Amino acid sequence: MGSVAIVELNRNCAKTVEEIVKLERKIFPKHESLASFFDDELRKKNSGLLYLHVDGQLAGYVMYSWPSSLYASITKLAVKEQWRRQGHGEALLKAAIQKCRTRKVSRIMLHVDPLRTPAVNLYKKHGFQVDTLIEGYYSSDRNAYRMYLDFDSN
């Protein structure tokens, strides 16, 4: 494998944002995609985005936010198809967890389609637990698991 780098998005890097929006549109169904209001998401002071470059190409990204001082939320995790099953999603998830931990939150939450087994397994591997099944979360026929990871309060 060549050079791999996880980088925090510089909000002024229009070319990278454009690449991420393109990937967002390709991976997520239109009603789940943040593509149309991506810039608004990035302007929020309580959110962040890390992206992964492999040999200079965008391979994936993770978005996270901390809506309160109590918890953070991983809002998106996406890896381009040709880069999947190579540990990139895991690297992004670990980096996002670290970023969220620096905010001193006690819990990270996320939503995932139960049918996306590799994603569910990845989250479980890193200590996330299923909280509940939310019916119709993504659309009338697509549910979501709400998952959480708690940190020790010491």
Side-chain angles (χ1 to χ4, degrees), residues 1 11 16 23 55 59-60 64 81 84 86 88 90-91 97 106 112 117 124 127-130 132:
M1 193 186 331
R11 293 169 183 346
T16 304
L23 180 57
D55 293 331
Y64 54 93
E81 213 160 324
R84 291 181 187 163
Q86 297 171 44
H88 300 310
E90 184 167 17
I97 290 170
S106 56
V112 62
T117 309
K124 284 183 175 175
F128 283 85
Q129 298 174 51
V130 174
T132 189

Side-chain angles (χ1 to χ4, degrees), residues 1-150:
M1 193 186 331
S3 73
V4 176
I6 293 180
V7 184
E8 190 153 11
L9 183 70
N10 172 338
R11 293 169 183 346
N12 304 325
C13 190
K15 185 181 178 299
T16 304
V17 170
E18 215 173 282
E19 280 184 80
I20 290 169
V21 167
K22 227 184 262 178
L23 180 57
E24 173 85 8
R25 282 199 171 107
K26 191 172 181 170
I27 291 178
F28 296 101
K30 193 172 181 158
H31 64 277
E32 284 173 43
S33 172
L34 293 174
S36 53
F37 50 97
F38 210 81
D39 287 334
D40 297 340
E41 284 296 305
L42 293 178
R43 276 194 206 98
K44 292 178 180 171
K45 285 181 173 47
N46 65 342
S47 69
L49 186 145
L50 300 170
Y51 64 92
L52 180 85
H53 264 176
V54 178
D55 293 331
Q57 286 186 53
L58 177 73
Y61 65 93
V62 60
M63 289 180 83
Y64 54 93
S65 64
W66 48 98
S68 82
S69 58
L70 301 175
Y71 75 97
S73 184
I74 293 178
T75 49
K76 288 281 175 164
L77 175 61
V79 176
K80 271 187 186 170
E81 213 160 324
Q82 71 263 37
W83 300 110
R84 291 181 187 163
R85 302 210 170 279
Q86 297 171 44
H88 300 310
E90 184 167 17
L92 284 164
L93 178 63
K94 283 173 152 175
I97 290 170
Q98 280 312 113
K99 285 284 182 185
C100 292
R101 286 199 82 151
T102 65
R103 296 271 157 206
K104 306 275 189 256
V105 296
S106 56
R107 173 175 277 198
I108 299 176
M109 300 190 22
L110 58 81
H111 292 90
V112 62
D113 184 329
L115 301 177
R116 292 190 178 195
T117 309
V120 172
N121 291 340
L122 173 66
Y123 298 136
K124 284 183 175 175
K125 177 181 174 182
H126 287 277
F128 283 85
Q129 298 174 51
V130 174
D131 178 27
T132 189
L133 178 73
I134 302 170
E135 292 190 23
Y137 180 81
Y138 293 108
S139 64
S140 59
D141 59 347
R142 279 191 61 223
N143 305 326
Y145 281 148
R146 182 170 62 211
M147 298 183 80
Y148 66 93
L149 171 64
D150 282 340

